[in-house]
Amino acid sequence: MINQVTLVGRLTKDPEARKTMEGRSVLSVTVAVNRQFKNQQGQVETDFVMCKIWNKAADNTEKYCRKGSVVGITGRIQTRNYENDQGKRVYVTEVVADSIRFMDSRPAADRGHQHSEKPPEKEPVELPF
């Protein structure tokens, strides 16, 4: 059997990792992924896929990504269930990441930090032709 998922999309909010009781980092994110076709109204629809990222990948994602960052995730689909406060069984389907790639052209930590100084102007260079 094959259980393999590849997603490319944008994070819907800033990632915040937490630690398990054993000290492992875990990060839950939602990735917005556009469908490759348009609906009857001519609009592109978007799926919001819940993903779970573990350990060093979770720490790096929290450090380098922000809301809107483009990420590529490969992993597997996993379904789990739990009983909520009302005693009702709740089923959750999510992608458990095996790897994540940061696909923005520059780190999110650099975005939003505007330099107040103007770069020095370059002197014109005379070309020999």
Side-chain angles (χ1 to χ4, degrees):
M1 306 297 164
I2 297 174
N3 181 355
Q4 185 175 358
V5 176
T6 302
L7 301 170
V8 176
R10 294 188 180 275
L11 298 181
T12 61
K13 66 178 183 175
D14 287 347
E16 291 182 33
R18 57 184 173 80
K19 298 282 186 184
T20 65
M21 295 177 87
E22 298 83 27
R24 295 174 61 198
S25 296
V26 62
L27 180 65
S28 295
V29 297
T30 302
V31 179
V33 181
N34 289 340
R35 294 185 180 174
Q36 295 204 1
F37 55 88
K38 295 181 180 180
N39 63 18
Q40 290 180 343
Q41 291 77 32
Q43 299 170 330
V44 175
E45 294 182 2
T46 303
D47 291 305
F48 297 90
V49 182
M50 295 188 309
C51 300
K52 188 85 67 183
I53 306 166
W54 289 90
N55 301 319
K56 189 70 174 168
D59 294 332
N60 287 337
T61 302
E62 180 182 41
K63 183 176 180 180
Y64 295 110
C65 295
R66 298 288 173 260
K67 177 181 179 178
S69 293
V70 179
V71 296
I73 294 177
T74 58
R76 67 187 188 282
I77 292 179
Q78 178 175 291
T79 301
R80 59 185 171 86
N81 64 74
Y82 63 92
E83 197 170 292
N84 67 11
D85 295 337
Q86 292 77 35
K88 185 175 180 181
R89 177 99 15 227
V90 177
Y91 292 89
V92 178
T93 301
E94 59 197 356
V95 172
V96 177
D98 293 325
S99 67
I100 182 166
R101 295 190 71 169
F102 309 143
M103 303 181 79
D104 284 322
S105 57
R106 62 183 176 155
D110 292 344
R111 279 184 254 128
H113 294 287
Q114 300 289 334
H115 297 289
S116 58
E117 289 183 27
K118 226 182 191 181
E121 291 188 28
K122 294 183 179 180
E123 304 233 353
V125 176
E126 193 170 315
L127 300 174
F129 50 88

